[in-house]
Amino acid sequence: MGDTRIKYYNRENECSYVEERMERQFRQFKQDLEFAYNNCEYYKNLFGEDFNIDDIKSYDDIVKIPKTNKSNIVNIHKSKYPFGGMLAKGAKLKRIYISPGPIYDPEGDVEDYWNLREIFTNVGFVEGDRVIDTFSYHLTPAGIFCDEALKSIGCTMVPTGVGNTEIQIQTLKNLQVTGYIGTPSFLNMLIKKAEEAGYNWNKDFNLKIACVAGEMLPNSMRKDFEEKYNILVRQFFATADMGGIGYECYYKSGIHFSENRLVEVVNPETGEHCAPGEPGELVVSTLGNRTYPLIRLGTGDLIIHAEDECGCGRTSFRIDKIVGRVDMVTKVRGMFIHPGQVNELINKFEYIVKGKIIISRENDYDTMTFYAELAKDIPLTETYKDKILNAIRDIFKLKGDVQFVESGFIKDDDKLIDDQRKWD
Ligand SMILES: [Zn+2]
């Protein structure tokens, strides 16, 4: 792999002091706010007649501006097709994509509109890479926006699109393709099918880098890609409305946010900004978009962010963990709990095969019980139970109980947190 793939799109900005970035982004954000208010009917209505830009004096004040939830975009568009008043007056469009809903995603006629150049440079694509792009080239923007960004940093694109496994494998081999764009599971399938067809992956193919998105990348799969097949694997985070949001650098210590996205992590109850380590909703704004500015888009993703410096020297916020969706958060005795914590608890104990938490209420008091199914033939000791109780306290910052259950009690499609409290 080698360090020739350690790249910086704009090292000065990416490694600047946190305060410097905040100031730089905040300045741009204020201009965007003014632009959106004056040019997009939707924001004019949303912010209201009394809106005064001078009330927004600092990054902390941003929370006063109303959020637009991603889950609501479909209704906003529907209220007045095609873009529900979110498109800026006089914007020139290059393409319009169609996402389920339908939501119409406009593409401005602007260089690097989707903000993916920074992302693909920083994950490690280099000039001369020959890349298959296995995302769809029609309806949604994924195929085309990756294609254009990679082309613009000097890669040669092979637009293979979705499916056609055999042609993809043939192309990978005959063209000695060095780069892959797509989902991790599709890459995994290509490797497995190639091996079934009798190829020796490391000898017959030349794939050096894969940039994946669209689904979870299991650790075991990543390990295989990297160690068994010698592919540098990096994840990136992009959406059909906003384009590039974040990426993993060479040090893969979480998802760095792009310099061109103003990011907030917001407490779902109070609406205030969260401290690092505290789970909150990821709220993102585009910066400098004069076509379809997205101001405080609530993604619905519940994340935990880190802000310590990464090994690469970048100082941006990073997604440490995606812990679930905002609508999956439950409050117990004043504390938020989320499915990510239940997974953490299960994974901490080798002998726990399945688990879930049931919240109920007794004598006006919330109770939290962890139901655990253990692997067969594990002798149950008090110490084991105590260890689990301690782990519950550590992970949830709450006292809870544990119950061991027979196989079959926890179904595969059970929710990780089952809130059985009745409020009447
Ligand atoms: Zn980094």
Side-chain angles (χ1 to χ4, degrees), residues 267-315:
N267 181 313
E269 199 184 43
T270 64
E272 296 295 318
H273 288 151
C274 294
E278 191 189 329
E281 184 186 12
L282 174 64
V283 175
V284 190
S285 303
T286 49
L287 290 173
N289 187 316
R290 295 287 175 265
T291 304
Y292 184 71
L294 292 165
I295 308 282
R296 301 201 82 219
L297 188 73
T299 61
D301 288 320
L302 197 68
I303 69 156
I304 291 176
H305 75 290
E307 63 169 15
D308 54 321
E309 196 177 306
C310 174
C312 67
R314 290 186 181 90
T315 49

Side-chain angles (χ1 to χ4, degrees), residues 124-383:
F125 281 105
V126 292
E127 200 181 327
D129 270 328
R130 194 173 284 171
V131 185
I132 56 167
D133 179 353
T134 70
F135 282 130
S136 172
Y137 273 74
H138 64 267
L139 295 177
T140 63
I144 294 180
F145 73 26
C146 292
D147 187 296
E148 294 220 321
L150 285 161
K151 200 168 62 185
S152 76
I153 61 174
C155 301
T156 303
M157 300 309 296
V158 189
T160 50
V162 182
N164 297 310
T165 315
E166 254 117 73
I167 296 174
Q168 305 262 14
I169 293 170
Q170 201 179 62
T171 309
L172 275 165
K173 181 173 182 295
N174 292 349
L175 300 184
Q176 289 292 291
V177 165
T178 58
Y180 169 91
I181 290 280
T183 62
S185 61
F186 190 61
L187 175 60
N188 192 48
M189 194 178 86
L190 290 178
I191 295 174
K192 296 289 158 329
K193 292 263 170 166
E195 287 185 328
E196 274 167 37
Y199 291 113
N200 176 328
W201 185 267
N202 287 314
K203 247 175 67 195
D204 297 329
F205 298 87
N206 191 28
L207 192 67
K208 294 191 162 65
I209 176 167
C211 194
V212 298
E215 54 187 37
M216 278 280 291
L217 169 63
N219 278 335
S220 55
M221 197 186 278
R222 164 170 234 156
K223 207 166 164 234
D224 265 4
F225 289 156
E226 293 185 337
E227 291 172 15
K228 209 166 151 195
Y229 301 109
N230 298 302
I231 306 165
L232 181 78
V233 178
R234 291 296 174 269
Q235 303 182 84
F236 74 109
F237 183 17
T239 61
D241 42 17
M242 199 176 262
I245 296 173
Y247 59 90
E248 282 181 318
C249 72
Y250 195 81
Y251 294 83
K252 49 176 177 179
S253 60
I255 305 271
H256 281 287
F257 287 111
S258 158
E259 293 300 311
N260 300 316
R261 298 290 175 254
L262 185 121
V263 171
E264 303 165 75
V265 185
V266 173
N267 181 313
E269 199 184 43
T270 64
E272 296 295 318
H273 288 151
C274 294
E278 191 189 329
E281 184 186 12
L282 174 64
V283 175
V284 190
S285 303
T286 49
L287 290 173
N289 187 316
R290 295 287 175 265
T291 304
Y292 184 71
L294 292 165
I295 308 282
R296 301 201 82 219
L297 188 73
T299 61
D301 288 320
L302 197 68
I303 69 156
I304 291 176
H305 75 290
E307 63 169 15
D308 54 321
E309 196 177 306
C310 174
C312 67
R314 290 186 181 90
T315 49
S316 63
F317 274 10
R318 301 195 305 281
I319 301 182
D320 195 16
K321 258 186 241 159
I322 297 179
V323 292
R325 300 281 303 165
V326 168
D327 50 16
M328 291 155 84
V329 183
T330 314
K331 208 169 184 192
V332 179
R333 279 175 248 146
M335 293 286 287
F336 283 121
I337 67 165
H338 56 78
Q341 290 168 304
V342 187
N343 273 326
E344 193 182 335
L345 181 63
I346 296 170
N347 292 334
K348 206 174 161 125
F349 295 92
E350 189 181 350
Y351 300 122
I352 298 181
V353 192
K354 276 182 194 169
K356 72 170 181 183
I357 277 196
I358 295 182
I359 312 289
S360 54
R361 205 161 163 83
E362 281 163 31
N363 304 322
D364 289 329
Y365 187 75
D366 294 334
T367 62
M368 177 171 89
T369 310
F370 176 53
Y371 290 81
E373 179 186 326
L374 299 178
K376 289 206 174 61
D377 310 324
I378 302 304
L380 263 185
T381 61
E382 276 304 306
T383 356

